Amino acid sequence: MASTSTRKAARAAESSPLVRGLARGGFAANGVVHALIGAIIFVIAFGGRAEGDQTGAFKAIATAPLGFVALWVMATLLAGLGVWHGLEGVLARGRPDDVKSTAKKWGRRVSQWGQTAVYLALAVVSASVALGARPNSTKTARGASHAALLLPGGPIVLGLVGCVVTAIGIGFVVRGIRRGFRTQLALPSGPLGTGIVALGAVGYIAKGVALATVGVLLVIAAVRVDPGAAGGLDTAITALIALPFGPWLAGIVGIGFVAYGLFCLFRARYARL
């Protein structure tokens, strides 16, 4: 009975115009963040100095006229998108007498609730920058890695986290190649729909490459027991630039992030909610 009433409440909240409006706005805000990240990465790839990650994007917004207002708006929208994903997780269904169906249900729940955590975290970062904080994601990631390595079995835990992040990145690449995101959109017909799918494919692949690089860096940090080898997206871009033809690779990833940002802006309009 409690489960049924919880689902009814979640369904009522998820279908409300306010929550759906915030979710669409959250997709748009996420698009702006990714487009800014992509532009920053492109600048870094060819010699510029900046932070090529979410905190760098929020700091860039803060420098604009009335930037703190934009940051509060983005924090609200991103939090709304996080709530919508949380409700979607609650509403995931499966047949209790079917092990495969139950596994899919919990897989979807973990995915949705993971996205809830990501968007709520982004909302917190946006709000903190609006309040004047200037967080450094690389230092935060290395501090967390250092703390993990100090725990009993810490290198194993950090290595597993790195493997999970790498797997998520590979999942993004596969989804981009297979265009698996199309089922979440009510795509328009004609060239516009084709263009949106192309943006999504390029964007998912680029984001997947960046996430997989972050995951590999975490695994390296675990193997070496060296938190200095770990880092976030900004560190991953630096690692890409160090490779042969690295600046061009990083520049392509930057363009891919811009494509993903544009895709998210279209998703705000055409998402199936």
Side-chain angles (χ1 to χ4, degrees), residues 120-213:
L120 291 180
L122 286 176
V124 169
V125 174
S126 182
S128 66
V129 174
L131 289 170
R134 294 296 180 265
N136 185 304
S137 60
T138 299
K139 290 183 179 179
T140 301
R142 287 177 178 170
S145 298
H146 181 263
L149 290 172
L150 292 176
L151 297 173
I156 295 175
V157 173
L158 186 61
L160 289 174
V161 171
C163 289
V164 170
V165 174
T166 302
I168 292 173
I170 293 171
F172 265 83
V173 172
V174 171
R175 197 173 191 192
I177 293 172
R178 299 179 65 178
R179 276 70 164 173
F181 52 83
R182 289 179 297 179
T183 58
Q184 298 176 331
L185 302 170
L187 287 167
S189 58
L192 179 58
T194 302
I196 293 171
V197 171
L199 286 172
V202 172
Y204 269 92
I205 292 171
K207 187 170 182 177
V209 169
L211 284 172
T213 304

